Every structure is written in structure tokens, then in C-alpha cells.
């Protein structure tokens, strides 16, 4: 195995590619160069994977069975996700490349490609991403979220959460102070899961609110009528007139 990557450089790659041949080719090649690769066949679980782990690079196919890479890249950028994105596509027109860049791609590689070129581009993007802010910890109000350990503490005490509760809280924390719709929460926290609905969001928001209150947390999840909800520090007195109590 090559040791060409510096020990201080994040070597985790998220690959989204539905073609099994290309997926195996890229995964095995990058693994041989010291990268840790998580391979997904569709876009549905990408937001949840990115929220729950610290990846250096996202390698994203343009055309996927459950959506297109440009739309996902735009969604991630709109959501504040700044991971470097390398777009893969069988298309080679200038207009389509420009469309990829406009939607948030950092680099573009046309199929078929030589592995050495892919490797070089991934290494450049990984170095670029390593210069960005540390994203393994997040703080919102009086909560400290350790993304890698998947642990939340309040005033030094661990807040016991289920997997879905943690993913929901982490998504809200990434958008602290921002009003986010239930549809955005559903997709951003849990991916494209047909078993879950916006009603599921309401149920888990209720679970989170009760646990925060029982823990004595000053963090509040406020419902904003007709728009969604936001997380932040509870006001010292009174309540925002446009906000509704717990749904």
C-alpha cells in the first residue's frame, strides 16, 4: 500500500457511483493509495453520511438512479456543506462542465478516465479541504456535539439520544438560527428513506424537545408557523410572536 498521503491529512473519501465496475475500480485504487472509501450507489444517504462523518472529498457521479449529481451538489452548497466535490460524468460538453461548476463542483472528470488522473485530482482536493475549518465538533447554545463520537453533552453531562435523534439534532445544529422546513430536515437528516415522512420529523422533534427539557438544557427548538423550525438559545423571557409552541 502506498503511503503517499501525509499522516495529518484526512484520507476519507465518499464515493457516489452506481456503476459497479467503476465503483470497484475507484474504491480499490484509492484504498491501495491509503484512502478510506465509503461507496454509495445513490444520492439518498449522502447528506446523512456527510453529517455523521468527516470526509475529505466527495466523488459524485452526475447521473444516478435516484437523482442527479448537480442537484445534490447545489443542495449541499445551499445547506452550507463545503466538502470539495469531484464530479464524474460520461458527458464531456463545456456547457455541462460549466453547469457542474455553477452548482458547486470543485473539479470535473470525464469518463473514461485514467486512475492516476483521478488520484491526482483527489489529492489536490483533499489538501484544499484540509485547510478548511474543523468540522468534527459543533456547538449550539449550551450543547456540544462530537460528530465523530456521535455524542452530545450539555453542561458536561451526556445527553442520551437515539441514532435518528442525533442525526436530527446535528442537522439542526448545522443550521442554528436558521428556519428550516420539514422537507429539508427529512432529506438532510435522514436521506431519501421512503419509510420516513414529514410526520416523522414532527415526532422526533417532539422527542428531542422533551429530552432537552428534561436535561435542563437552555437550547430551544421553535416552530415557526408555515415555515418550519429553528434551534437556538431559549429567550430569557417571553416567546417570539410568530413562533408556535411544540408541534
Amino acid at each position: 500500500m502506498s503511503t503517499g498521503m501525509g499522516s495529518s491529512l484526512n484520507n476519507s473519501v465518499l464515493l457516489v457511483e452506481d456503476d459497479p465496475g467503476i465503483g470497484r475500480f475507484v474504491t480499490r485504487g484509492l484504498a491501495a493509495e491509503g484512502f478510506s472509501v465509503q461507496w454509495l450507489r445513490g444520492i439518498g444517504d449522502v447528506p446523512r453520511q456527510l453529517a455523521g462523518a468527516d470526509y475529505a472529498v466527495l466523488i459524485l457521479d452526475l447521473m444516478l438512479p435516484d437523482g442527479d449529481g448537480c442537484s445534490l451538489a447545489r443542495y449541499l452548497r445551499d445547506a452550507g456543506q463545503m466538502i470539495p466535490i469531484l464530479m464524474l460524468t460520461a458527458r464531456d460538453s463545456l456547457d455541462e462542465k460549466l453547469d457542474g461548476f455553477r452548482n458547486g463542483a470543485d473539479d470535473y472528470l470525464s469518463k473514461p478516465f485514467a486512475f492516476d488522473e483521478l488520484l491526482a485530482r483527489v489529492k489536490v482536493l483533499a489538501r484544499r479541504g484540509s485547510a478548511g475549518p474543523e468540522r468534527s465538533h459543533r456547538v449550539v447554545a449550551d450543547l456540544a456535539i462530537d460528530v465523530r463520537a456521535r455524542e452530545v453533552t450539555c453542561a458536561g453531562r451526556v445527553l442520551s439520544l437515539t441514532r435518528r435523534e442525533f442525526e436530527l439534532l446535528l442537522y439542526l445544529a448545522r443550521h442554528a438560527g436558521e428556519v428550516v422546513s420539514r422537507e429539508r430536515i427529512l432529506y438532510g437528516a435522514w436521506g431519501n428513506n421512503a419509510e420516513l415522512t414529514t410526520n416523522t420529523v414532527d415526532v422526533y422533534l417532539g422527542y428531542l424537545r422533551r429530552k432537552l427539557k428534561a436535561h435542563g438544557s437552555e437550547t430551544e427548538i421553535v416552530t415557526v408557523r408555515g415555515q418550519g423550525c429553528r434551534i437556538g438559545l431559549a429567550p430569557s423571557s417571553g416567546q417570539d410572536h410568530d413562533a408556535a409552541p411544540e408541534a
Side-chain angles (χ1 to χ4, degrees):
M1 177 180 293
S2 170
T3 57
M5 294 195 65
S7 59
S8 63
L9 190 61
N10 182 356
N11 69 341
S12 296
V13 172
L14 182 60
L15 169 65
V16 186
E17 170 61 64
D18 65 312
D19 185 296
I22 294 175
R24 286 191 295 268
F25 170 68
V26 172
T27 299
R28 291 172 180 171
L30 290 178
E33 293 294 330
F35 287 88
S36 173
V37 182
Q38 174 68 39
W39 174 19
L40 301 178
R41 274 70 166 180
I43 67 175
D45 286 333
V46 172
R48 181 168 61 85
Q49 284 287 337
L50 292 176
D54 185 20
Y55 291 98
V57 178
L58 169 61
I59 303 176
L60 179 60
D61 190 19
L62 181 61
M63 300 300 296
L64 292 156
D66 57 347
D68 69 277
C70 277
S71 295
L72 176 61
R74 183 173 62 251
Y75 173 85
L76 294 174
R77 295 307 188 223
D78 288 346
Q81 174 58 254
M82 300 310 294
I83 184 172
I85 298 175
L86 172 59
M87 195 83 77
L88 300 181
T89 180
R91 303 173 179 175
D92 196 27
S93 75
L94 177 59
D95 286 344
E96 283 162 347
K97 288 182 180 180
L98 292 176
D99 189 46
F101 289 126
R102 281 192 294 265
N103 283 286
D106 295 276
D107 201 355
Y108 206 102
L109 190 57
S110 299
K111 302 175 183 176
F113 53 83
F115 176 76
D116 286 346
E117 182 177 6
L118 172 76
L119 176 63
R121 292 173 184 267
V122 168
K123 286 183 175 179
V124 168
L125 292 177
R127 286 195 296 269
R128 184 187 305 173
S130 68
E134 175 58 52
R135 303 184 65 84
S136 62
H137 291 79
R138 291 186 179 274
V139 175
V140 56
D142 59 350
L143 302 179
I145 304 173
D146 186 327
V147 178
R148 290 179 177 174
R150 300 181 71 82
E151 182 177 86
V152 180
T153 56
C154 176
R157 295 185 297 137
V158 175
L159 182 63
S160 179
L161 299 176
T162 67
R163 176 179 63 83
R164 283 184 179 160
E165 289 168 351
F166 176 84
E167 290 164 351
L168 173 58
L169 179 63
L170 180 58
Y171 182 80
L172 292 174
R174 291 178 59 216
H175 301 277
E178 176 186 351
V179 177
V180 289
S181 69
R182 284 164 171 77
E183 290 76 14
R184 282 183 62 189
I185 293 171
L186 180 64
Y187 184 82
W190 300 314
N192 188 23
N193 189 329
E195 298 178 357
L196 305 181
T197 67
T198 53
N199 288 334
T200 310
V201 174
D202 289 329
V203 169
Y204 278 91
L205 285 172
Y207 292 160
L208 268 183
R209 286 180 171 119
R210 286 190 283 274
K211 287 190 175 182
L212 291 172
K213 183 177 181 179
H215 208 75
S217 174
E218 298 177 351
T219 306
E220 184 176 44
I221 302 172
V222 177
T223 297
V224 181
R225 292 189 184 96
Q227 299 181 52
C229 65
R230 64 170 177 258
I231 192 171
L233 188 65
S236 57
S237 61
Q239 188 173 0
D240 193 348
H241 73 278
D242 70 344
E246 177 181 329

